[in-house]
Amino acid sequence: MAGTDAAPIVYPPIVVPDSVERQKVTIWARGLALDADIYRPRKLDSAARVPAVVMTHGMGGDKETPGRYAARFAESGMIVLSFTHASWGHSQGRMIAKEALPEPDENGEAMVKVKLIRESIDPLEWVDSCRAAIDYLEGEPNVDAARIGAWGTSFGGGTAFYVAGEDDRVKALAVQVPAVFNPPPPMVAHGQARAIQIARGEFDPIPQSEDALPGLKGTPHFARLAQFKVADQADKINIPTLIVDAGNEELFDTSESGGAAYAQLQSRGVDSYYEVIPGIDHYGIYFGGFERSCELAHDWFLKHL
């Protein structure tokens, strides 16, 4: 989570050091163009192979949310890719035809009225986007594909955690104020009911304002959220994992999220570290908690990549 309709978060500006170059790029995921920035150390030798990190924002965020972290990591020699999830910011989103599809022309093209989907919170789509970002990094000059890490914040922390359990290309993981719990039973029940309605054409195929939550930017796709069992991934993760929480977390119980995930990793002997930054709330991680959270992730990747 990274902002609400009532009080959007205004982040401090990204300062890109002279030793780092930032370039706007496009990641293609499921036929959609995702807006992204890649941060690279300047003057890398063409033969150099360096570690790389993919970064994912949370609800209400975009590629700028991790930007200050990305600049710091790149200053230390990493190549970093920060992207905006589909339907957020300047990334493309899905479209739903609002009329019968006409016959396509010889180029396979047709004109049709569509509904543009914006600010959708579909966790499985987010996972696919994160994996597409890893694909992009694998093809980037100078990236050592054997040294790719994943970083995520808030809901994006849950996304990165999930991906780390499924994609063995991720060799180190750092998440902060992460939503790494399974959906509670009421959400599962609501999601299952929505899935039935969607399949039968009784509800929007991709929910928009009808399922919005008060104070939350974007619309949760509950039929998909019901399938997003992030906590279960703790049984699959075997890579070095850093988890950072806020001492005054107000959005969820950290003992059932980051703290529980850390305990599970420790019980399995996974190289992991957990720290709670005192005196900050969820969004304070980007302000009063920035220096410490950045230092922890920066050093974690330097050590393990």
Side-chain angles (χ1 to χ4, degrees), residues 15 21 118 133 231 294:
V15 178
E21 58 182 353
R118 300 305 303 168
C294 187

Side-chain angles (χ1 to χ4, degrees), residues 97-145:
K98 300 299 291 182
E99 57 191 28
L101 296 179
E103 289 296 323
D105 63 19
E106 63 275 10
N107 297 317
E109 299 175 350
M111 297 290 289
V112 64
K113 185 177 181 180
V114 299
K115 178 179 181 179
L116 302 178
I117 302 300
R118 300 305 303 168
E119 298 184 348
S120 173
I121 303 166
D122 179 341
L124 304 181
E125 183 175 65
W126 283 39
V127 167
D128 287 344
S129 295
C130 196
R131 297 184 77 160
I134 297 172
D135 294 336
Y136 189 100
L137 269 181
E138 278 198 294
E140 182 69 12
N142 301 115
V143 165
D144 183 346

Side-chain angles (χ1 to χ4, degrees), residues 11 14 35 49 53 75-76 81 85 103 116 125 139 161 170 174 182 223 236-237 244 256 259-260 276 289:
Y11 298 99
I14 300 169
D35 184 30
R49 293 294 178 267
V53 177
E75 190 176 20
S76 292
L81 181 62
H85 283 283
E103 289 296 323
L116 302 178
E125 183 175 65
F161 195 87
V170 179
N182 287 345
K236 301 179 182 179
I237 292 175
V244 181
E256 298 177 357
V276 178

